[in-house]
Amino acid sequence: MQECIEYAVSRTRDDDRFKLVEKTNGGLASARNFGFRHSKGDYITFVDQDDILHPQWLELAVKTMETASADVCECKVLRPSFKAVFKAKSYPFYEPTEVLNTANLLKGADILKWYLAQKMNITVWSHVYRRQIIEGHPLPECVWGSDDLAYNIVNANRIKSLVKICQPLYFWRRNPKATTGRVPCAYMEGVVQAIEYVKSYYRAHTLSEEMEQSLKLYLSCTFTDVMRDVLQVKRNDAECVGLVGLAKKTNFLLDGGVIDDVDAEDKCWMQKLMDGNFQMATSLAKTVFAKRERRRKVMQVKRFVKRIVGRK
């Protein structure tokens, strides 16, 4: 830790663009809110420690927001290998007019629709916000590791407009040594907290029946996706009991959605989990996880080939 502090001090000491602050560990949302309180800019963004930014990301985000008079900007995110570095030849620089002409400006209910349809990332680090957006509504600090979900799904109903940039400008690298499965119960508890936070907000803000069903489906699938990841690592007896309890609680919060709304291959292991058959649930969840990982890798290869062919 001391090494990291010394490195940060050496890189920022003579550069007045940076302000280095230090705080005790209180989680991601706490750190982000702390950083915001020490900031002065009109535009705010967040970057996770393992990720890579396209050199034009902030420039294009601000230009697009100013042109569209948007409250928030979100860009396309790619997931390269953890060891990957940014290469200009692979991801060329963009003309601002090209970005502006292809961007999607969303207003009103369409913002939430796009989140729920997964046309945009829910992560706060793939967004740039006008200062007053966060100033009026800081990130919920009670949600451990799931502040992104809680914040942006609720924020979708607060903001007037959001502009979506279609070009890949943020590169999310997931450290294989820091996977979701290595922080099981705490992370799952955070997801449930986020679901409770979202449900509580929208109980006081009326949604159409169609949107309410879409929200329920989105939250059910989000919980299931994270639980599937968590079950890839062996758990002790106390963790098993805790995870079963979280699954039952979430299913109740979502009016049975965790069982009713997810697809058939997930429904099977999730039902076993809620029945308390943890061993069978884990085995089935691992099979589903392996299948989806294979499909994801095939899609990555197809996208890579398409980019190569497109450049020739």
Side-chain angles (χ1 to χ4, degrees):
M1 176 60 72
Q2 187 59 36
E3 238 179 71
C4 293
I5 294 172
E6 290 172 1
Y7 178 78
V9 170
S10 69
R11 295 302 296 267
T12 59
R13 183 188 294 117
D14 301 319
D15 193 334
D16 59 10
R17 295 175 302 170
F18 296 92
K19 181 177 182 180
L20 183 63
V21 293
E22 187 177 351
K23 72 180 291 294
T24 55
N25 186 10
L28 279 173
S30 173
R32 287 164 175 161
N33 286 332
F34 181 79
F36 172 77
R37 290 193 294 272
H38 284 79
S39 69
K40 295 180 180 179
D42 294 330
Y43 296 91
I44 303 295
T45 193
F46 306 97
V47 183
D48 276 10
Q49 66 272 26
D50 298 325
D51 298 341
I52 302 170
L53 303 183
H54 189 292
Q56 290 179 287
W57 164 219
L58 299 181
E59 172 197 358
L60 293 173
V62 171
K63 282 184 178 179
T64 306
M65 291 171 74
E66 288 179 345
T67 301
S69 298
D71 296 322
V72 180
C73 178
E74 198 268 344
C75 72
K76 183 177 180 181
V77 174
L78 292 186
R79 183 179 172 178
S81 162
F82 181 67
K83 295 181 180 180
V85 295
F86 177 83
K87 294 181 180 179
K89 290 183 179 178
S90 300
Y91 304 101
F93 280 54
Y94 300 101
E95 290 294 332
T97 52
E98 175 191 358
V99 174
L100 290 169
N101 291 338
T102 56
N104 295 285
L105 179 61
L106 307 172
K107 295 183 179 182
D110 285 339
I111 301 172
L112 181 57
K113 282 182 182 178
W114 274 51
Y115 277 126
L116 299 183
Q118 298 184 48
K119 293 182 178 181
M120 295 189 295
N121 285 281
I122 201 65
T123 51
V124 295
W125 43 251
S126 61
H127 292 63
V128 173
Y129 303 85
R130 288 190 186 271
R131 182 175 191 84
Q132 58 266 33
I133 300 302
I134 298 178
E135 208 159 39
H137 302 284
L139 278 70
E141 295 186 15
C142 62
V143 182
W144 191 93
S146 297
D147 49 298
D148 308 78
L149 167 63
Y151 190 69
N152 281 327
I153 289 292
V154 167
N155 209 38
N157 195 57
R158 295 176 180 146
I159 61 177
K160 294 180 180 178
S161 58
L162 180 151
V163 63
K164 163 75 178 182
I165 291 178
C166 300
Q167 288 75 12
L169 298 173
Y170 194 104
F171 305 93
W172 174 47
R173 300 190 307 161
R174 188 175 185 181
N175 189 338
K177 294 182 179 179
T179 60
T180 299
R182 296 183 187 276
V183 282
C185 291
Y187 194 88
M188 288 309 310
E189 286 166 7
V191 172
V192 177
Q193 282 183 8
I195 290 172
E196 285 185 294
Y197 182 88
V198 171
K199 288 284 289 182
S200 175
Y201 174 84
Y202 281 108
R203 272 197 296 269
H205 297 79
T206 306
L207 291 174
S208 67
E209 185 176 346
E210 179 186 359
M211 193 75 83
E212 194 170 337
Q213 288 302 313
S214 295
L215 178 61
K216 178 186 166 190
L217 175 61
Y218 178 87
L219 295 174
S220 297
C221 292
T222 297
F223 177 84
T224 302
D225 287 344
V226 178
M227 181 65 83
R228 191 191 315 111
D229 281 356
V230 167
L231 293 182
Q232 303 311 303
V233 180
K234 188 176 181 179
R235 306 295 164 212
N236 60 41
D237 291 343
E239 288 177 321
C240 293
V241 171
L243 292 173
V244 170
L246 289 173
K248 289 181 177 179
K249 179 179 180 179
T250 307
N251 196 48
F252 174 78
L253 282 171
L254 299 177
D255 304 316
V258 175
I259 291 296
D260 296 338
D261 296 339
V262 298
D263 58 33
E265 59 183 9
D266 282 321
K267 187 179 296 186
C268 188
W269 64 261
M270 186 60 79
Q271 185 64 67
K272 294 292 183 185
L273 180 64
M274 290 192 196
D275 291 342
N277 191 340
F278 199 87
Q279 185 174 357
M280 180 61 73
T282 299
S283 177
L284 292 171
K286 286 181 176 179
T287 301
V288 174
F289 182 89
K291 286 180 181 177
R292 296 197 175 194
E293 278 296 291
R294 285 195 294 270
R295 289 200 292 265
R296 184 182 65 80
K297 288 177 181 178
V298 168
M299 291 303 297
Q300 277 186 327
V301 171
K302 286 182 177 179
R303 285 195 294 267
F304 175 75
V305 170
K306 187 176 179 180
R307 280 205 308 270
I308 296 298
V309 171
R311 289 204 297 268
K312 291 182 178 179

